[in-house]
Each structure stands twice: as structure tokens, then as C-alpha cells.
Amino acid sequence: MKALRDLYDNAPIGYLSMTPNGVVTRVNDTFLVWTGYRRDEVLGKTFESLLMVGSDIFYETRYVPVLRLSGSVRDVSLTIQRSDGRPLPILVSSTTRLGPEGEPLLVRTVIFDATERNGLERELLTARRIAEASEARVRVLQDASMAFTDCATEADLAQALATIARTAFRASHAAVMLADDAGVLGVVAGTHPLDHLLGAVDPRPEADAVRSGHSCWSAAPPMLRPDIPGWTWRFG
């Protein structure tokens, strides 16, 4: 019996026993070490009350219905709130022990620490996003090369550049601007997003960009600047 008790308490996974309503009646030492709770802080509480906000909703909508319908549930991803408030990602599997008349008597639950698994999934997701971004850049360069090859005039080149820029940055507007003999910038291809806000004689942010040699972008949400109402521009 002592060996069995030691195996239960010091297993490499967490063990819980609960009533059919989810009240914890037994817990092993491994679970207590992982979460930082004392035994008396867990016994008599519902398992749901130990979950982080968000996981408790998933517990009610995914875990409980499946357990009641089939008598068991496997590998449900939840997050426990440790005693110090930190999250503990877990995988939960449970099975229901039935009485002689088929009534539920007890729910046995095993808990796996999913911290390393979640970290690996985040690394894989980051790597996939990097790969997708790299693929997108290569695609833009290929499209640009093909578009520029087909250009016969400066107007064609300007239009191709505006289209490529709009696609590359997933922008709603992109414009190519050239300066005339007086040094005034004008749109030669694409659309300018500020044309409906600024008059012909108003200060233009692109002029600041040309003078400074730096790009400019609009802060979000827009703040007021005296010479361009409704907008603020930063350079860098």
C-alpha cells in the first residue's frame, strides 16, 4: 500500500479525483508542486475554479459536455492558474467511474504539464510566419521583375511601381510622385490617400520626406498637427 501511495503521489503527472459535479476529492503531490497550492486549498474546490479565465469557458463548453456524453475525454488543452497567479498550460484526460446502476460515481483525471509543448508550438508558429514572410518578399520581387520588364514608358514604370508597392504592403493606396520644374511633387501613378484631405497649397508630408531624406508615417490614432489638421507625422 505504501508503494502504491508513493506511486500515486510522486507520479510524473498530476492526478485528481472529482465528484461528477467537478468537486476535487483527491489530489496527488505532483499536482500540488506544479501549482503551488496546499492540499487543503484544492480539496473541496471545483476543478473549474482552478482554471484561468477563458479556460473555464472552454471547460464548460468542451470538457464537461463530452465527459457527460461519452464518459471520458482525452487531451483537452486548458490552463491552470497557479497559486502565485502564473498560468500553467495543461492537457487533461478524464474518465468516469460508474456505479452498479450505471450512475456516475467518480471522475478520475490525469494532468500533463504542457509548458514545453506550448513553447514548441510557439516556436513552430514563429518559424512558419518567418517562412511565409520570406516567401511573400520573394513573390513581390518576382512580380516586380516581370512587371518592370513589360514597361515601355516612364508612365508604365510608375504605374507598375505603384501597383507593386500597394500589393507588397497590402495598402489601400500607393502613389508614385515626381517633381516638376518648380519642385512641386505631383502624383503620376496610383492614388494619394491624402488628396481628399489636403488642398493644393497645403503643406504635404511627402515634401517633408524628400527634404529630410527619411520616410514618414502617420501615428495611430491620428493626433493634431497645426499645419496638417487631423494628422501627425513622424520621421525615422
Side-chain angles (χ1 to χ4, degrees):
M1 290 296 294
K2 184 177 180 180
L4 291 176
R5 178 69 187 185
D6 180 72
L7 178 62
Y8 176 85
D9 276 334
N10 299 300
I13 58 177
Y15 282 121
L16 292 176
S17 295
M18 298 182 288
T19 68
N21 293 327
V23 176
V24 180
T25 59
R26 190 175 181 185
V27 60
N28 74 338
D29 290 346
T30 301
F31 180 85
L32 298 176
V33 170
W34 285 353
T35 60
Y37 290 111
R38 301 189 310 271
R39 194 176 304 277
D40 62 350
E41 292 178 315
V42 176
L43 297 180
K45 283 191 173 183
T46 62
F47 181 66
E48 182 181 358
S49 68
L50 301 174
L51 299 175
M52 298 286 290
V53 175
S55 271
D56 55 352
I57 299 175
F58 192 72
Y59 172 84
E60 283 291 339
T61 58
R62 170 68 172 86
Y63 172 95
V64 172
V66 173
L67 181 64
R68 289 176 179 171
L69 181 65
S70 64
S72 65
V73 62
R74 293 179 58 84
D75 298 332
V76 176
S77 180
L78 299 171
T79 304
I80 290 280
Q81 180 170 314
R82 291 183 172 102
S83 61
D84 59 5
R86 292 182 298 126
L88 173 65
I90 60 173
L91 287 177
V92 179
S93 295
S94 299
T95 185
T96 303
R97 177 186 171 187
L98 302 177
E101 303 298 328
E103 73 278 13
L105 298 178
L106 181 71
V107 176
R108 293 192 176 101
T109 299
V110 293
I111 296 174
F112 298 87
D113 184 347
T115 303
E116 292 187 4
R117 168 180 164 164
N118 283 19
L120 178 60
E121 289 177 348
R122 285 194 295 270
E123 290 177 5
L124 291 174
L125 179 60
T126 299
R128 187 178 73 179
R129 287 174 175 171
I130 293 174
E132 289 174 349
S134 178
E135 180 184 358
R137 287 193 292 269
V138 171
R139 191 182 308 115
V140 168
L141 290 175
Q142 290 174 338
D143 292 344
S145 177
M146 294 177 60
F148 291 156
T149 300
D150 295 335
C151 293
T153 65
E154 290 184 357
D156 292 339
L157 182 62
Q159 185 58 53
L161 183 58
T163 301
I164 291 166
R166 185 174 64 252
T167 302
F169 292 101
R170 298 179 181 177
S172 57
H173 298 273
V176 174
M177 307 187 73
L178 296 177
D180 59 18
D181 293 339
V184 178
L185 291 171
V187 176
V188 295
T191 57
H192 195 299
L194 300 183
D195 278 346
H196 68 291
L197 295 176
L198 301 177
V201 297
D202 290 330
R204 311 283 294 201
E206 60 270 13
D208 290 339
V210 171
R211 284 194 299 268
S212 67
H214 299 291
S215 60
C216 61
W217 49 275
S218 172
M223 304 294 290
L224 294 178
R225 176 178 168 182
D227 56 346
I228 306 180
W231 295 84
T232 182
W233 295 87
R234 298 183 181 180
F235 298 86

